[in-house]
């Protein structure tokens, strides 16, 4: 009997609406093709338009209500007439913290038919194949601080933005990162820091990294990079990197650079994970709402599809058992891992054939790419 997963979609703003609709179409095709699992979709309109109408994004109790779902599929949030810090702090960040989504995972590689701006990757696209693990619950996005006096227009206004680093938060993200590195062929982890200038939180960050690293001696190779030097290494020596772990802010920035180096921010996925699986995890492309192209039918849906594949792969482990770190390992529901692989192969086949949106140098629209991926799912499955 096919298992049904309850998925809540939050399209949000701009192209988030377009790509969420496309992702649902692809996921529906995937479930019909494999026949061993089903998705039941609910949709919530927590958009900036609704915020302007009623004064809030998520209604009272809305984020708590997300706990009843198996996963969350998120489009994008942000619109020009709503300050970005409002949309971020009233929706996406509360979801992450309330649902214990402390690990943000962002894989990056060059898909067939896409072109990296790095000349060295033209001959060897496999030189850029990374997984960035972002601490997703504290650090620079903790929200502590204030403005004195409260008006930003006062002559002597002072603002503080306090980063919070806790042993518990740091230990768990490092263990997650080492466990991730163990699943990768190269078993190499690079830790990113700025402890030369930030002498408290980042020094603690470094110290705990080396404590945790002792538990993986002989199993995972590891090194350390200052964040500014890391940008140079990503550009000049991409083949020297594999799994990367960084703070909330650093990984947020580095993963956008990684997406650009792989060909376009439009293809990049992300997973906001609760590794304990007590609460649902959330999956979203990283490209944002892109108001300038919203509603034109030209948004690149590949990042949305890749995020959907990551969701399917995560749900495949829904019956897994916890390891000693409380991280639930994959249990394997039906043939969902194969379904995720099928979707990724379908994406690769479509981009290789040149069915691409403009940001990737193609001429196809969102619908054409979506329909092509849906058709290719069937071809890959039959093969």
């Amino acid at each position: 009997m096919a298992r049904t997963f309850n998925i809540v979609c939050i399209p949000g703003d701009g192209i988030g609406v377009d790509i969420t609709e496309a992702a649902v179409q692809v996921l529906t095709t995937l479930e019909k093709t494999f026949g061993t699992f089903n998705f039941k979709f609910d949709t919530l309109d927590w958009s900036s338009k609704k915020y302007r109408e009623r004064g809030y994004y998520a209604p009272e109790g809305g984020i708590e209500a997300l706990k009843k779902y198996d996963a969350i599929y998120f489009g994008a949030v942000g619109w020009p007439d709503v300050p970005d810090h409002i949309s971020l702090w009233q929706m996406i960040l509360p979801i992450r913290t309330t649902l214990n989504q402390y690990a943000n995972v962002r894989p990056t590689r060059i898909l067939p038919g896409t072109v990296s701006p790095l000349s060295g990757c033209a001959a060897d696209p496999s030189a850029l194949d990374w997984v960035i693990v972002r601490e997703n619950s504290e650090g620079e996005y903790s929200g502590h601080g204030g403005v004195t006096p409260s008006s930003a227009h006062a002559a002597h206004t002072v603002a503080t933005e306090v980063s919070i680093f806790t042993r518990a938060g740091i230990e768990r993200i490092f263990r997650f990162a080492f466990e991730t590195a163990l699943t990768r062929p190269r078993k190499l982890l690079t830790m990113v820091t700025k402890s030369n200038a930030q002498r408290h939180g980042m020094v603690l960050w470094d110290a705990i990294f080396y404590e945790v690293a002792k538990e993986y001696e002989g199993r995972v190779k590891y090194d350390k990079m200052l964040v500014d030097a890391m940008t140079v290494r990503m550009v000049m020596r991409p083949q020297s990197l594999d799994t990367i772990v960084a703070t909330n802010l650093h990984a947020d920035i580095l993963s956008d650079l990684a997406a650009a180096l792989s060909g376009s921010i439009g293809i990049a996925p992300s997973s906001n994970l609760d590794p304990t699986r007590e609460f649902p995890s959330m999956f979203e492309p990283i490209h944002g709402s892109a108001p300038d192209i919203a509603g034109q039918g030209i948004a690149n849906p590949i990042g949305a599809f890749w995020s959907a594949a990551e969701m399917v792969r995560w749900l495949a482990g829904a019956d897994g058992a916890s390891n000693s770190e409380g991280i639930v390992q994959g249990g394997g529901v039906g043939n969902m891992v194969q379904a995720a692989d099928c979707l990724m192969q379908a994406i690769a086949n479509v981009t290789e054939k040149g069915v691409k949106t403009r940001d990737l140098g193609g001429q196809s629209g969102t619908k054409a790419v979506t329909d092509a991926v849906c058709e290719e799912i069937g071809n890959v499955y039959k093969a």
Side-chain angles (χ1 to χ4, degrees):
M1 183 177 178
R3 176 165 177 177
T4 297
F5 292 92
N6 295 304
I7 311 298
V8 58
C9 297
I10 307 175
D13 299 319
I15 64 171
V17 177
D18 305 335
I19 58 91
T20 300
E21 180 180 334
V24 169
Q25 180 181 335
V26 164
L27 287 167
T28 301
T29 300
L30 202 66
E31 71 172 9
K32 290 179 179 177
T33 301
F34 280 80
T36 57
F37 55 88
N38 296 312
F39 298 115
K40 181 181 179 296
F41 296 102
D42 289 342
T43 300
L44 300 176
D45 186 357
W46 292 358
S47 63
S48 292
K49 179 181 178 182
K50 286 295 182 182
Y51 170 82
R52 294 192 303 273
E53 292 175 0
R54 63 196 183 192
Y56 58 83
Y57 281 92
E60 185 176 354
I63 293 177
E64 282 290 324
L66 298 177
K67 293 179 179 179
K68 67 183 180 183
Y69 292 97
D70 295 302
I72 304 161
Y73 190 89
F74 190 86
V77 65
W79 203 249
D81 58 3
V82 178
D84 288 337
H85 69 277
I86 292 178
S87 56
L88 201 68
W89 279 97
Q90 286 204 16
M91 185 160 55
I92 192 76
L93 292 183
I95 291 174
R96 291 172 178 171
T97 54
T98 301
L99 302 184
N100 194 39
Q101 296 169 353
Y102 68 81
N104 184 285
V105 181
R106 300 186 171 190
T108 304
R109 64 178 181 269
I110 301 171
L111 297 175
T114 62
V115 179
S116 168
L118 300 178
S119 58
C121 291
D124 182 16
S126 65
L128 198 164
D129 185 356
W130 308 328
V131 173
I132 297 178
V133 176
R134 169 186 175 187
E135 200 294 312
N136 211 35
S137 66
E138 54 178 43
E140 304 90 344
Y141 295 177
S142 299
H144 289 261
V147 180
T148 306
S150 58
S151 172
H153 303 292
H156 302 289
T157 302
V158 175
T160 59
E161 197 74 48
V162 181
S163 298
I164 303 295
F165 294 93
T166 66
R167 172 170 284 276
I170 297 171
E171 281 187 358
R172 67 184 185 180
I173 198 61
F174 283 151
R175 287 203 173 89
F176 182 90
F178 273 104
E179 292 291 330
T180 300
L182 277 172
T183 68
R184 303 273 293 169
R186 296 178 61 196
K187 295 178 172 51
L188 168 66
L189 178 63
T190 298
M191 180 269 284
V192 178
T193 185
K194 192 58 181 171
S195 52
N196 60 335
Q198 295 176 291
R199 59 183 182 167
H200 303 300
M202 294 264 68
V203 169
L204 178 65
W205 171 268
D206 290 6
I208 294 175
F209 176 79
Y210 289 112
E211 288 180 17
V212 175
K214 293 177 182 177
E215 303 170 19
Y216 295 87
E217 287 287 355
R219 295 187 292 157
V220 176
K221 296 175 289 184
Y222 55 87
D223 59 14
K224 164 187 165 182
M225 291 294 296
L226 295 177
V227 65
D228 39 356
M230 185 63 170
T231 62
V232 177
R233 182 173 170 184
M234 290 169 70
V235 173
M236 303 300 293
R237 296 190 296 128
Q239 72 282 355
S240 71
L241 296 164
D242 189 85
T243 308
I244 300 161
V245 62
T247 67
N248 216 332
L249 175 63
H250 292 166
D252 193 6
I253 297 168
L254 292 176
S255 57
D256 278 13
L257 172 59
L261 294 177
S262 70
S264 170
I265 198 170
I267 66 176
S270 74
S271 305
N272 300 275
L273 302 179
D274 170 14
T276 71
R277 295 184 186 267
E278 180 180 0
F279 302 119
S281 294
M282 179 168 62
F283 303 84
E284 56 172 325
I286 74 171
H287 51 56
S289 59
D292 56 323
I293 62 169
Q296 298 179 34
I298 60 174
N300 188 344
I302 296 300
F305 300 159
W306 194 342
S307 299
E310 294 301 306
M311 182 181 78
V312 173
R313 196 179 306 279
W314 181 255
L315 291 174
D319 294 332
S322 298
N323 67 8
S324 60
E325 307 304 335
I327 298 172
V328 177
Q329 308 299 297
V333 176
N335 52 359
M336 293 183 73
V337 171
Q338 293 89 336
D341 291 341
C342 174
L343 175 51
M344 289 306 300
Q345 188 60 56
I347 292 169
N349 290 353
V350 167
T351 56
E352 188 171 27
K353 290 176 182 177
V355 183
K356 301 178 291 187
T357 47
R358 296 176 189 176
D359 59 305
L360 291 175
Q363 296 298 320
S364 300
T366 309
K367 187 178 188 310
V369 175
T370 303
D371 290 344
V373 169
C374 288
E375 181 179 355
E376 196 61 29
I377 286 171
N379 296 336
V380 174
Y381 179 77
K382 291 173 185 176

